[in-house]
Amino acid sequence: MLVLVVLVSAIVPATVVRGARAQSTQGVAAFQWTDIATERGDRLPNFSFCGYHASEQPLPSDATQPSVSLDATKGDQTQRIQDALDETAAAGGGVVILGEGDFVVSSKGLTVPSGVVLRGAGVGLTQLKLSELGAEPAISFGSGTTIPSVPPLHFTNIVDQYVPIGASQVTADNTTGLSPGDRVFIQRQVTGQWVRANGMGDLSLNGKEQTWLGVDAVVRQPREIKSIHGNTVTLDIPLTDALDTFQNYMSPVLVAFMPPNASSEMGVEHLSLSLSPTCSGAPLNTHCDNPAISFSPWTTSSWARNLEIAGFNAFVIVQYNTSRITLQNVSMIRDADATDHDNTDRALPADILIQGTQILVQDCAQRGLSTARSFAVMTGSLVAGPNAVLRHKTASDNQTIVPHQRWAHGFLVEDTEAQVRFFNRATNGTGHGWAINAGVGWNLRGTVLVQSPPLGVNWCVGCSGTVDERGNGTFVERGQEVVPKSLFEKQLADRKGK
Ligand SMILES: *[C@@H]1O[C@H](CO)[C@@H](O)[C@H](O)[C@H]1NC(C)=O
Ligand SMILES: *[C@@H]1O[C@H](CO)[C@@H](O)[C@H](O)[C@H]1NC(C)=O
Ligand SMILES: *[C@@H]1O[C@H](CO)[C@@H](O)[C@H](O)[C@H]1NC(C)=O
Ligand SMILES: *[C@@H]1O[C@H](CO)[C@@H](O)[C@H](O)[C@H]1NC(C)=O
Ligand SMILES: *[C@@H]1O[C@H](CO)[C@@H](O)[C@H](O)[C@H]1NC(C)=O
Ligand SMILES: *[C@@H]1O[C@H](CO)[C@@H](O)[C@H](O)[C@H]1NC(C)=O
Ligand SMILES: *[C@@H]1O[C@H](CO)[C@@H](O)[C@H](O)[C@H]1NC(C)=O
Ligand SMILES: *[C@@H]1O[C@H](CO)[C@@H](O)[C@H](O)[C@H]1NC(C)=O
C-alpha cells in the first residue's frame, strides 16, 4: 500500500516552470505563458479552436437580406413561424426575420432547421412570448433526434506510454486504413486502476456506495487527423486530457468514425424570448427543466447572439456531440429564486449547460434578481474540450461557473468577476467526484477554488480575487492580472498568424 502511494505521488505533475520574469525599462514584468508546463510535459490546451467554424471565420453578417419577413399579428404564431423556417430550409436556407412586436409561441416550441437563421428586429423590439413550457425547448437548433452511437470504421491501439495535455501527436500501432481528414475519437475505457488512483474508488454517502465512473464509461476526445507520417498521427486539435499507460491506468485507442449528417449554419439573433409565468427557481426534474434554447446532438457550426431570455430555469443546453457553437452576448434573466432559501443542499439549475466540444461562450450574462442561485455555466460528465467561457457576467456570488461532474476536460474560463470552482465534488450529486481536468482559469477576479486531481492538473493563471485555500491546483502569477488579457484571443491570433 505504501509503495503504491509513493509511486502515485511520484508521478503527480505538480511543478510549474515559471515564466521568465524580465524587467523592462517600464518595470513591467514579462510573463511567458507558453512556458507553463508540468514535469510530465502537460501544457495549457489550445482553446482557439472553440466557436463557430473553430473561430477560423467570423459569424455570418447579421445584415443579409431575409428570405421571409413576418409581421407581428395576434394569436398563436408557432405554426406560422415554423412554416416560414421549414420553407426557407426547403429553398436551400436563408434568413427568416420577425418584425417588431410580440409573437406568441406555444409550448410546442420552434425548431430551426439546418441552414436557417431566425432573426428579430432587436432585443426588446421583437418579443417571442411563451406562457407555458411543454416537453420541448422553446427553440431547438436542428432536429431533436438522438443518434445513440456512430459505428467505428477503424480501430488502432495508441502505443505511447504518456501523451501529455496539449500534445498533438500520438503513435498508432497500425495506421493502415487511416487518412488525413478522418474524424476520430482518441478514447479510452475507464479502468478501476485509474479510478482508484484518483481517489474515487470508495465514495460513499450515508453508508451507500457511489460510483464516480464505471468501467463501462469511455473518455473520448473528438478530433480530425491532420497528417500521418509512419506511425505518427498528427491531430487537428491538441489533446485536452493526457493518455497515461502507467500501471494500466489506460489502454488508449484511436477510433475512426463517420459522423452523421449534422445540422449546421443555424442562428438565432436579435430578439427577446420570455416565459411568463416564470419557471425560474422551480425545483429540478419538472417540465421547467426544458431550456429556452437547445442545440441538438451533432449540431455543428451554429450560433445564438444578441438575445435576452427571461423566466426560464435552464436557459441554454448545448447537447452531447455538438461542436463549434458560439453563444455571444446572450443575457439571461432569472426573475425568481428557488423558494426553499434555507436549504443549501438543493440541486441548483444551470444557466448554460455545455455537453459538446469546441463551444465558445462569450460576453454572456446572468441578470435579474441578484440573489438568484444557479450554476452560471457548467459542463456535464466526461465533456471533451476544448470549451471556453470569456468575459462572463453574473448578478451575484450565488452564480458560479463550475464543471459539475465526472472528469470533463479542457475548459477555459477567463476575464471575469464570477466565482469559479474547479474541484473535487466528492459525494455531492451522486458521486460527482473530480469534475474537471486541464481546467484553466485565466485573469479571474472573483473567488476561486482550484484543485488538481491526483492524476491531472488544473491551472489558475493571473487569479487576483479571493483564493480558497483548499485549492492545490497550479497557481501562476497569483494576485495579478497577466498579459495577454485573453488566452483564447492570443492563441487564436498566433494560430491565424501561422
Ligand atoms: C455521442 O456520441 C457517442 C459516440 O458515438 C455516443 O456513444 C453517445 O451516445 C452520443 N450521445 C448523444 C447524446 O448523441
Ligand atoms: C495493419 O492492419 C492491416 C489491416 O487492417 C493488416 O493487413 C496489416 O498486416 C497490419 N500491419 C501490421 C504491421 O500489423
Ligand atoms: C449524408 O447524406 C448524404 C447525401 O444525402 C448521403 O449520401 C450519406 O450517406 C449521408 N451520410 C451519413 C453518415 O448518413
Ligand atoms: C448585446 O446585446 C444588446 C441587447 O441585449 C445590444 O444592445 C448590444 O449592442 C449588444 N452588444 C454587442 C457588442 O453586440
Ligand atoms: C446568496 O443566497 C443567499 C441565500 O439565498 C442570500 O442570503 C444571499 O444574499 C445571496 N448572496 C448574494 C451575494 O446575493
Ligand atoms: C457538498 O455539498 C455540501 C452541501 O451543499 C457542501 O457543504 C459541501 O461543501 C459539498 N462538498 C463538496 C466537496 O463540494
Ligand atoms: C489535491 O488535494 C486532493 C485532496 O483534496 C488530493 O486528492 C489531490 O491528490 C491533490 N492534488 C495534487 C496534485 O496533489
Ligand atoms: C495552439 O496555440 C499555439 C499558441 O498560441 C499556436 O501557436 C499553435 O499554432 C496552436 N496549435 C495548433 C495545433 O494549432
Side-chain angles (χ1 to χ4, degrees), residues 374-455:
S374 68
F375 296 116
V377 184
M378 79 183 195
T379 48
S381 186
L382 297 175
V383 165
N387 290 308
V389 180
L390 280 54
R391 300 180 295 271
H392 201 78
K393 288 196 166 60
T394 54
S396 88
D397 239 18
N398 284 341
Q399 290 153 353
T400 58
I401 300 178
V402 52
H404 197 60
Q405 52 168 311
R406 298 181 174 89
W407 207 264
H409 48 89
F411 184 57
L412 170 69
V413 182
E414 66 175 32
D415 195 3
T416 178
E417 262 86 43
Q419 210 183 127
V420 176
R421 292 189 202 154
F422 297 158
F423 74 128
N424 178 4
R425 286 176 44 85
T427 57
N428 280 13
T430 45
H432 286 172
W434 285 108
I436 181 77
N437 185 31
V440 180
W442 187 274
N443 285 333
L444 302 181
R445 295 178 294 276
T447 302
V448 296
L449 169 57
V450 176
Q451 295 179 322
S452 286
L455 296 185

Side-chain angles (χ1 to χ4, degrees), residues 33-34 44-49 56 166-168 226 234-238 487-496 498:
W33 65 272
T34 46
L44 303 185
N46 196 327
F47 293 101
S48 69
F49 294 89
E56 282 155 14
S168 297
K226 209 165 134 186
T234 302
L235 305 164
D236 61 337
I237 306 175
L487 176 64
F488 170 83
E489 279 162 12
K490 175 67 175 139
Q491 289 180 324
L492 184 60
D494 284 357
R495 182 158 65 92
K496 283 183 167 169
K498 279 190 179 163

Side-chain angles (χ1 to χ4, degrees), residues 444-488:
L444 302 181
R445 295 178 294 276
T447 302
V448 296
L449 169 57
V450 176
Q451 295 179 322
S452 286
L455 296 185
V457 57
N458 290 311
W459 288 277
C460 210
V461 184
C463 294
S464 57
T466 307
V467 173
D468 186 323
E469 295 301 338
R470 285 175 298 166
N472 60 0
T474 297
F475 285 78
V476 181
E477 300 290 293
R478 178 170 157 181
Q480 57 187 325
E481 186 173 296
V482 295
V483 176
K485 192 171 173 67
S486 167
L487 176 64
F488 170 83

Side-chain angles (χ1 to χ4, degrees), residues 126-137:
T126 299
Q127 312 247 13
L128 287 179
K129 296 199 156 179
L130 277 82
S131 55
E132 198 188 351
L133 198 55
E136 303 299 329

Side-chain angles (χ1 to χ4, degrees), residues 179-199:
S179 316
D182 282 357
R183 298 277 296 268
V184 297
F185 288 122
I186 303 301
Q187 68 179 50
R188 61 181 170 99
Q189 190 98 28
V190 165
T191 62
Q193 291 92 319
W194 178 74
V195 168
R196 285 190 295 276
N198 270 312

Side-chain angles (χ1 to χ4, degrees), residues 145-151 185 187 220 257 297-298 319-321:
T145 351
T146 300
I147 297 129
S149 69
V150 288
F185 288 122
Q187 68 179 50
R220 288 193 179 87
F257 68 95
W298 296 101
Q319 299 201 42
Y320 279 98
N321 296 321

